Amino acid sequence: MRGDRSRIKAKDLEGHYRDIFQTMTEGFALQELICDEKGEPCDLRILYINPAFELLTGFSRGDILGRTFSQLLPNDDPALIKVLGAVGATGKPTKFESYSCTLGRHYEVVAYSPAPFHVSILFFDITKKKELEREFALSQARNKAIIASLPDQIFILA
């Protein structure tokens, strides 16, 4: 009887995790590392995505599954493949920010390797945050320029 309960719990848990992946707001992709003849990472093939991936990138599931990173994002920085490839090759996770020229969006990416030569990524769209940071920096620069241009004879009295 006890063994039956543990199997039911494991099955319920699997469904629970599947539901999490289907409903979370973060994009998720499982990718397979593709290496060149020297064994160096040269591309990544997309094996699985969640619905949030589609929302955050504008790509549809049918258009991207089985395709490679370089096919989908040909104008994006090829160094990204090296970073993600290192995760798949070494198993060492990483976290970084990236800008996609193709999509015109900024992303925060967490990458880890669930199995040798595979990379899973979770990513968040941080475009609005980056725009606010840029606007704040411009505002700060304007304020400093205004203050620097004021003649020394002007005093602020409180």
Side-chain angles (χ1 to χ4, degrees), residues 38-150:
K38 296 177 187 173
E40 296 294 319
C42 64
D43 215 337
L44 296 155
R45 183 172 319 284
I46 300 173
L47 304 176
Y48 174 82
I49 62 166
N50 70 342
F53 184 102
E54 294 175 278
L55 292 172
L56 294 172
T57 64
F59 290 121
S60 68
R61 175 180 301 280
D63 291 339
I64 64 171
L65 290 182
R67 296 196 56 207
T68 64
F69 179 90
S70 60
Q71 289 172 325
L72 293 170
L73 305 169
N75 300 320
D76 283 16
D77 187 355
L80 187 57
I81 292 172
K82 295 202 181 303
V83 170
L84 295 175
V87 172
T90 66
K92 184 178 177 188
T94 190
K95 181 179 178 180
F96 58 92
E97 291 182 1
S98 180
Y99 177 75
S100 171
C101 296
T102 305
L103 302 174
R105 313 291 298 165
H106 291 271
Y107 297 100
E108 181 177 326
V109 181
V110 177
Y112 63 97
S113 180
F117 300 100
H118 287 80
V119 180
S120 288
I121 60 167
L122 280 170
F123 63 96
F124 318 85
D125 186 339
I126 58 168
T127 304
K128 293 271 190 229
K129 175 186 167 192
K130 288 295 190 181
E131 289 170 358
L132 290 172
E133 287 174 352
R134 186 177 61 77
E135 288 174 17
F136 181 73
L138 288 172
S139 175
Q140 291 289 75
R142 273 192 304 267
N143 290 342
K144 285 182 181 180
I146 290 168
I147 291 170
S149 69
L150 292 175

